Amino acid sequence: MIGIICAMKIEADAIRASLIDAETQTVSGVEFVRGKLHGKDVVLAVCGIGKVFAAICTEAMILTYAPSLIINSGVAGTLSEELTIGDIAVSSALVQHDMDTSPIGDPRGLISGINKIFFEADPSAANGIERAAATVGAHCVRGVIASGDQFMSDAAKKAWIAKEFGAIACEMEGAAVAHVAFVNSTPFVVLRAISDSATGDAQMEYPKFVAMAAARSHAILDKFIESV
Ligand code: ADE
């Protein structure tokens, strides 16, 4: 079973439409749709925006469906000159850029208790996403993806996250999926298509490009599922 988590309906609709023998079940307020995609068992959920919704969804998915891999797919702002609108970011690792206990001596991003800043994504899944991106001719960069409960639209903050964590893209759910997957020993990967520059222009860019970016992310996800 492969789990697919999207934050928003626009990121999930095309996947939902191609599921064969779809059956739905609601757990913890999240609707899960189970079915076949390219003959493989998948379960899809729209978790909602932000890290807490993503965490609820990931935990419920793992406990209910025991997926062997979770893919978080959708859109992101770019933090890298190598990624422009429509390009693809695939995770090497995830970080929560808004986790900050530095006033009591910790490095920024540290998750106390498990003592981690970065959650490593499954490398073979990331390789597969890169291959899938190549088959559709998409420019794909692998690197750290940073998540936080903020829509990034500030050049200075963007530069800080990129420098502090070496991150290439920002979004609002991936690191929560990663955190929950990690504590449950479940492999995960994050696939995001760039919808905006994460600067002051993002407010204009995002509504213009979100549908195109969601479609690109879906196209690569579909190729990846076909290939596994
Ligand atoms: N998802 C897409 N663009 C984003 C941005 N600029 N900040 C946070 N999440 C995003």
Side-chain angles (χ1 to χ4, degrees):
M1 173 78 75
I2 297 175
I4 303 167
I5 296 176
C6 301
M8 302 182 294
K9 201 171 166 298
I10 194 172
E11 296 164 320
D13 275 349
I15 308 161
R16 172 74 181 84
S18 49
L19 283 185
I20 309 288
D21 297 335
E23 283 173 27
T24 65
Q25 180 186 7
T26 299
V27 183
S28 300
V30 183
E31 185 181 81
F32 292 93
V33 190
R34 179 186 185 151
K36 295 255 185 213
L37 189 57
H38 299 296
K40 280 101 189 183
D41 284 320
V42 304
V43 58
L44 168 70
V46 176
C47 67
I49 291 171
K51 293 193 278 106
V52 175
F53 274 140
I56 293 168
C57 177
T58 308
E59 185 74 16
M61 178 180 274
I62 291 170
L63 295 180
T64 310
Y65 298 96
S68 55
L69 173 71
I70 294 181
I71 307 166
N72 174 222
S73 169
V75 304
T78 179
L79 299 178
S80 165
E81 283 176 7
E82 286 179 51
L83 284 172
T84 187
I85 291 170
D87 289 344
I88 301 299
V90 62
S91 59
S92 57
L94 276 293
V95 63
Q96 295 175 30
H97 67 72
D98 56 356
M99 177 58 88
D100 183 8
T101 51
S102 62
I104 53 169
D106 293 331
R108 305 253 189 157
L110 185 85
I111 314 285
S112 304
I114 51 175
N115 215 34
K116 283 181 81 69
I117 299 175
F118 296 102
F119 294 98
E120 311 296 327
D122 184 70
S124 73
N127 288 342
I129 299 280
E130 280 183 345
R131 283 193 297 271
T135 64
V136 303
H139 175 60
C140 180
V141 176
R142 193 187 306 199
V144 173
I145 298 179
S147 314
D149 288 322
Q150 293 157 358
F151 185 88
M152 297 300 306
S153 59
D154 179 81
K157 185 84 194 280
K158 165 180 169 164
W160 180 81
I161 295 172
K163 187 158 184 285
E164 181 74 19
F165 301 111
I168 60 165
C170 61
E171 36 84 314
M172 301 177 69
E173 298 81 22
V177 172
H179 187 161
V180 174
F182 172 80
V183 300
N184 286 283
S185 304
T186 300
F188 68 89
V189 69
V190 178
L191 154 67
R192 297 278 180 156
I194 301 300
S195 57
D196 58 84
S197 63
T199 65
D201 295 332
Q203 283 116 316
M204 283 180 333
E205 294 160 346
Y206 179 85
K208 198 165 159 194
F209 297 116
V210 64
M212 176 277 292
R216 286 182 77 88
S217 180
H218 165 252
I220 291 155
L221 177 66
D222 190 67
K223 287 276 176 213
F224 173 73
I225 301 280
E226 193 177 8
S227 74
V228 290

